[in-house]
């Protein structure tokens, strides 16, 4: 079954026919909120709002372990995550959709693995390719099916938050090779890999990163909504096609 994790600006799926909601408990605490179950075009799926349905959980306090555990516990085999990002690369103008293929992790202090107890064997996962290529291709096919456009590939830098970055930090992150920057996606992607879940992201560029474009004198937070809202509607259309193409 496919699960969708919604990020900032994406706390519900308007085209989801809800069948029920379920409060979950996991060995790692409570997820961000109740799991929403439903169908799109007769295809079953699950939905979870990463920041809570009232958007009250900041990126560094999301219980990523509980979220992914709960999704798998309820039968998810694939996870598509929606996230908002700032553009570092000049051609990624606000409103652009990106299906990234790489990650650079700048987060710290988050519970980032299921293998950290004294009773757990030392376990390493191969994270060469952090996203499922099969699921990425499904997303790209869904974009085409929905008559939308997106950028195929890109390096997604993930910072701690909740503050935005300085211009100097963005300069450093660009030198490291990143194309876009956000605050979620890690340890989410790694935890999905540990659980054997196929995981991919659709990133919505909602602003230029600090020191870029119209953010040279500061990120205009008050205008992000005007970009985010129509972009998220496009994402909903794409996800509807992705549900049909996933085949789970």
């Amino acid at each position: 079954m496919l699960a969708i994790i919604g990020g900032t600006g994406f706390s519900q799926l308007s085209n989801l026919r809800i069948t029920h909601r379920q409060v979950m408990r996991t060995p790692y605490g409570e997820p961000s909120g109740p799991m929403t179950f439903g169908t799109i075009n007769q295809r079953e799926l699950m939905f979870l709002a990463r920041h809570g349905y009232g958007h009250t959980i900041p990126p560094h306090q999301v219980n990523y372990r509980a979220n992914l555990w709960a999704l798998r516990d309820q039968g998810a085999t694939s996870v598509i995550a929606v996230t908002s990002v700032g553009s570092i690369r000049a051609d990624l103008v606000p409103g652009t959709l990106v299906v990234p293929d790489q990650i650079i992790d700048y987060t710290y202090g988050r519970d980032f693995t299921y293998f950290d107890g004294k009773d757990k064997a030392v376990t390493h996962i191969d994270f060469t390719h952090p996203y499922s290529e099969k699921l990425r291709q499904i997303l790209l096919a869904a974009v085409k099916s929905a008559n939308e456009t997106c950028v195929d590939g890109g390096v997604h830098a993930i910072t701690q938050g909740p503050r935005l970055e300085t211009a100097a930090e963005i300069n450093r992150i660009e030198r490291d090779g990143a194309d876009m920057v956000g605050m979620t996606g890690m340890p989410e992607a790694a935890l999905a890999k540990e659980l054997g879940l196929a995981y991919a992201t659709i990133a919505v560029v909602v602003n230029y990163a600090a020191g870029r474009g119209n953010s040279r004198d500061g990120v205009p937070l008050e205008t992000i909504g005007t970009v985010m809202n129509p972009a998220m509607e496009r994402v909903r259309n794409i996800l509807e096609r992705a549900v049909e193409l996933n085949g789970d």
Side-chain angles (χ1 to χ4, degrees), residues 164-165 167 207-222:
L164 299 180
E165 301 73 33
N207 60 275
Y208 287 105
R212 301 293 189 273
N214 64 350
S215 296
R216 296 185 186 280
D217 297 321
V219 178
L221 297 174
E222 67 282 356

Side-chain angles (χ1 to χ4, degrees), residues 75-172:
T77 55
S78 303
V79 177
I80 294 176
V82 181
T83 189
S84 299
V85 298
S87 167
I88 299 174
R89 213 170 76 192
D91 62 309
L92 300 182
V93 301
T96 302
L97 306 182
V98 186
V99 181
D101 61 348
Q102 278 296 331
I103 287 172
I104 301 177
D105 183 14
Y106 297 95
T107 66
Y108 53 88
R110 303 183 183 188
D111 292 326
F112 60 90
T113 180
Y114 293 106
F115 304 114
D116 63 352
K118 291 184 178 180
D119 59 333
K120 305 284 180 63
V122 175
T123 303
H124 303 285
I125 60 166
D126 178 12
F127 209 49
T128 305
H129 303 289
Y131 299 111
S132 161
E133 186 57 28
K134 179 181 178 181
L135 195 53
R136 275 196 356 99
Q137 291 303 319
I138 287 172
L139 263 178
L140 293 171
V143 170
K144 185 176 181 180
S145 177
N147 294 315
E148 296 289 355
T149 59
C150 78
V151 174
D152 176 7
V155 180
H156 182 194
I158 300 156
T159 58
Q160 180 68 359
R163 69 166 177 85
L164 299 180
E165 301 73 33
T166 68
E169 287 170 334
I170 293 299
N171 289 339
R172 183 193 69 163

Side-chain angles (χ1 to χ4, degrees), residues 32 66 112 227:
S32 295
F112 60 90
V227 174

